[in-house]
C-alpha cells in the first residue's frame, strides 16, 4: 500500500465517521437492545433486573387485543394495496400520454396529500367526517344519497372505511409517481416498433407495458405494503383506534404499552410485541418477494424478454 | 391530431372535477378557517365565508400557542436537515470516490439494517437520549429526527460522485489541492442538485413527523411541534372548529409552499427510490 492510498483511505474513514457513529448509536445498538429488553419484565424506569425468558412473547401471542390490532392492520394494508396499485397505475398512464396537456398541474394536485402532515390531515378529516353538521354528511344529504346523518367514526365498519379511504388518498400520489418512474424507464423503441406493426394503445399496454413493468411493480408492491404498516399518525389523529378498538393497529397497541397514558409503561412487553410484529412483516415481505419472483419468471418465458 | 385534441378535452373534463374533490379537504380547511364558529356550524354547504375572520388565526397563534409550535417545528426541521444532508454528503463522497478496504461490507451493512426485523427501537433510543440528558430538550428531538442512516440519500450522493470524471481530481491534485480542498472547492459545488433533493426530502419528512416529537415531548408541552400541538389542541379546545382550521392552515401552508416551489427535486427523489 503506498502512501497516497493510505492517506486517501484515512480521509474516507474520517468522512464516514459521523455517519458510522450515528449508525452504531441510533440504529444498531437500539436494534440489539430491543431484542434484549423483550426478555425482561421491565417498565422502562430503573435497571433491567427481572429476566423472564419468553414470558413476554407468550403474553403477546395470547392477547386477544394484539390479534385484533394485527387483523385490523392486515385489513387496512390489503384494501389500500388492492385499490391503490391499479388506480395509481391508471392515473400514471394518463399522465404519461404524450399529447396530454397540463400534466404537471394534475400531478401536483394528486400528489398534494402525500406531502402534507399526516397528523394534521387526520385532525381535519376527523371533523369533516363528524356526525351532525359535518361536511361529508351534509353533501350526501344534499344529493339525497342518505336520509339521516351517518356516524362515520362511531361505527366499527364505517370508521375502518373512512380510515382506508384516507389512507388511499394519502398514499395515492406517491404510488402514482412510482409508476410514472417505472413507465418512463421503459425503452421507447419497442413502442415505435409496435406502432409500425399496427398495435393499438390497448395492445401496447397489454403486451408491452404491463409485462415490462412487472419487475418495478414488485418494488412498488413492497413499498406500498411497508407504507401500510406505519399508520400511527393517521390512526391516532383520525379514529384513535376506536370505536372500541375497531380500528386499533399494532403501531398503536405497542405505543400504549411503551408510553401508555396510564402511567405504568411495560417497555419489555412492548419490545416483545414489536419483535413479533417485525418478524411477521419480515416473513410477509419474503413471501411476497418469492411470489413476485415466480410470477416474473413465468411472465418472462411468455412475453418478449427485455434482454 | 384532431382525435388527440378531443381526447385531451375529455380528459380535462374528467380530471378537473376529480381533482377538485381530491383537494377539497384543503379548500374546506382554508375557507373554514375564515368563518366564525357559528357560521361554521350553520353555513351548510356554502364554502365562502360571509366576512373574512382573521381572528381565528390570532387565536390559534396566541391562545393556541401555535407561535411556539411553529418556532419549534422550524428549529427541529432546520437542525435535522443540516445534520442529515451533511452526513449523507460525506458518506456518499467517501463511498463514491475512494475504494477503501471494507467498502463492500459497509454497503452490505447498510442494506442489512434496512431489511432485518428491528423490533421497537424507539424504546432504546428513548433510553439513550435519557442517558445523554437530552430528554425533553429540543436538541434531543433534533438528534432523534436526524438519526439513522438515510440509505437513499447516501446512494444518490455515491452514484453522483462516482460518475464525475477522475480527471477532475487529478487536475486538482496537480495543482497541489489535497483531498479536503478538492472536495470542498470542486466536488461539493457540483453536487448542488443532489443537495437540494436531499434537503427538500428531509425537510418534508421532518416537518411532517409526528411520532418522534410526540414521544419526546410528552412531558414538555412547550417543545411541541405543529403536528403534536395540533393533536393536543383538538383535545383541549374541541369546540373551536375554526381555530382548529386556522391552526391546520398555519401548519400546512409552509409545507405546501415548499413542495410546490421545489417539487421537481422532491419528485426526482421519490422516483429515485424505485429505480435504485
Amino acid at each position: 500500500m503506498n502512501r497516497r492510498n493510505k492517506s486517501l483511505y484515512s480521509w474516507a474513514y474520517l468522512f464516514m465517521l459521523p455517519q458510522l457513529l450515528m449508525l452504531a448509536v441510533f440504529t444498531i445498538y437500539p436494534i440489539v437492545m430491543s431484542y434484549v429488553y423483550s426478555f425482561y419484565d421491565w417498565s422502562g424506569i430503573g435497571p433491567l433486573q427481572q429476566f423472564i425468558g419468553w414470558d413476554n412473547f407468550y403474553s403477546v401471542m395470547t392477547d386477544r387485543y394484539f390479534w385484533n390490532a394485527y387483523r385490523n392492520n392486515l385489513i387496512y394494508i390489503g384494501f389500500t394495496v388492492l385499490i391503490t396499485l391499479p388506480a395509481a397505475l391508471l392515473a400514471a398512464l394518463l399522465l404519461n400520454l404524450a399529447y396530454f396537456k397540463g400534466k404537471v398541474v394534475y400531478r401536483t394536485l394528486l400528489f398534494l396529500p402525500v406531502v402534507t402532515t399526516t397528523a394534521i390531515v387526520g385532525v381535519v378529516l376527523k371533523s369533516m367526517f363528524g356526525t351532525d353538521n359535518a361536511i361529508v354528511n351534509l353533501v350526501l344529504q344534499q344529493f339525497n344519497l342518505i336520509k339521516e346523518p351517518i356516524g362515520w367514526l362511531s361505527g366499527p365498519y364505517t370508521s375502518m372505511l373512512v380510515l382506508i379511504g384516507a389512507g388511499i388518498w394519502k398514499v395515492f400520489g406517491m404510488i402514482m409517481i412510482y409508476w410514472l418512474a417505472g413507465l418512463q424507464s421503459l425503452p421507447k423503441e419497442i413502442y415505435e416498433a409496435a406502432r409500425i406493426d399496427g398495435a393499438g394503445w390497448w395492445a401496447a399496454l397489454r403486451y408491452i407495458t404491463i409485462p415490462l413493468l412487472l419487475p418495478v411493480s414488485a418494488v412498488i408492491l413492497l413499498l406500498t405494503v411497508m407504507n401500510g404498516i406505519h399508520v400511527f399518525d393517521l390512526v391516532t389523529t383520525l379514529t384513535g383506534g376506536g370505536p372500541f378498538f375497531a380500528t386499533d393497529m399494532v403501531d398503536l397497541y405497542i405505543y400504549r404499552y411503551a408510553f401508555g397514558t396510564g402511567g405504568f409503561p411495560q417497555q419489555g412487553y412492548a419490545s416483545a410485541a414489536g419483535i413479533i410484529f417485525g418478524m411477521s412483516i419480515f416473513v410477509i415481505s419474503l413471501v411476497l418477494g418469492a411470489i413476485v419472483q415466480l410470477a416474473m419468471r413465468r411472465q418472462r418465458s411468455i412475453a418478449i424478454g427485455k434482454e | 391530431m384532431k382525435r388527440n385534441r378531443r381526447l385531451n378535452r375529455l380528459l380535462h373534463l374528467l380530471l378537473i372535477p376529480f381533482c377538485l374533490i381530491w383537494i377539497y379537504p384543503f379548500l374546506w380547511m382554508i375557507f373554514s378557517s375564515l368563518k366564525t364558529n357559528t357560521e361554521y356550524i350553520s353555513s351548510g354547504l356554502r364554502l365562502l365565508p360571509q366576512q373574512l375572520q382573521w381572528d381565528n388565526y390570532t387565536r390559534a397563534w396566541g391562545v393556541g400557542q401555535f407561535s411556539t409550535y411553529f418556532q419549534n417545528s422550524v428549529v427541529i426541521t432546520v437542525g435535522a436537515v443540516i445534520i442529515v444532508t451533511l452526513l449523507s454528503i460525506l458518506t456518499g463522497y467517501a463511498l463514491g470516490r475512494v475504494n477503501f478496504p471494507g467498502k463492500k461490507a459497509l454497503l452490505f451493512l447498510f442494506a442489512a439494517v434496512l431489511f432485518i426485523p428491528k423490533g421497537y427501537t424507539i424504546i432504546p433510543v428513548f433510553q439513550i437520549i435519557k442517558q445523554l440528558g437530552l430528554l425533553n430538550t429540543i436538541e434531543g428531538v433534533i438528534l432523534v429526527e436526524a438519526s439513522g442512516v438515510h440509505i437513499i440519500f447516501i446512494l444518490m450522493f455515491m452514484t453522483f460522485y462516482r460518475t464525475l470524471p477522475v480527471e477532475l481530481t487529478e487536475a486538482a491534485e496537480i495543482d497541489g489541492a489535497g483531498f479536503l480542498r478538492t472536495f470542498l472547492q470542486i466536488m461539493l459545488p457540483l453536487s448542488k442538485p443532489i443537495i437540494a433533493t436531499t434537503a427538500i426530502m428531509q425537510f418534508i419528512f421532518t416537518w411532517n413527523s409526528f411520532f418522534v416529537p410526540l414521544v419526546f415531548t410528552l412531558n414538555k408541552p412547550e417543545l411541541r411541534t405543529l403536528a403534536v400541538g395540533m393533536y393536543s389542541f383538538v383535545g383541549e379546545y374541541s369546540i373551536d372548529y375554526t381555530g382548529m382550521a386556522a391552526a391546520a392552515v398555519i401548519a400546512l401552508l409552509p409545507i405546501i409552499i415548499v413542495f410546490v416551489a421545489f417539487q421537481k427535486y422532491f419528485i426526482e427523489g421519490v422516483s429515485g427510490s424505485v429505480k435504485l
Side-chain angles (χ1 to χ4, degrees), chain A residues 177-199:
Chain A
I177 296 297
Y178 289 157
W179 282 126
L180 264 174
L183 285 172
Q184 278 155 8
S185 68
L186 300 182
K188 299 218 165 34
E189 307 83 46
I190 298 186
Y191 288 94
E192 198 65 22
R195 208 168 50 86
I196 292 165
D197 288 345

Side-chain angles (χ1 to χ4, degrees), chain A residues 54-116:
Chain A
W54 296 94
D55 278 13
N56 280 330
F57 291 89
Y58 181 76
S59 310
V60 173
M61 297 291 266
T62 51
D63 184 13
R64 204 158 55 84
Y65 289 101
F66 176 77
W67 292 112
N68 167 64
Y70 195 91
R71 200 197 58 219
N72 288 338
N73 233 150
L74 288 187
I75 293 173
Y76 175 85
I77 294 171
F79 277 102
T80 38
V81 169
L82 283 179
I83 297 169
T84 314
L85 283 188
L89 175 60
L90 183 71
L93 285 169
L94 288 182
L95 294 189
N96 200 37
L97 292 173
Y99 54 79
F100 185 36
K101 299 278 186 316
K103 279 180 263 202
V104 179
V105 178
Y106 290 122
R107 190 187 67 187
T108 309
L109 293 179
L110 291 174
F111 200 79
L112 208 53
V114 176
V115 291
T116 46

Side-chain angles (χ1 to χ4, degrees), chain A residues 13 34-35 106 108 115 117 169, chain B residues 12 22 101 117-118 208 263 274:
Chain A
Y13 291 130
S34 69
Y35 282 82
Y106 290 122
T108 309
V115 291
T117 320
W169 179 69
Chain B
H12 287 305
W22 194 256
K118 292 181 195 51
N208 289 344
Q263 61 165 312
V274 182

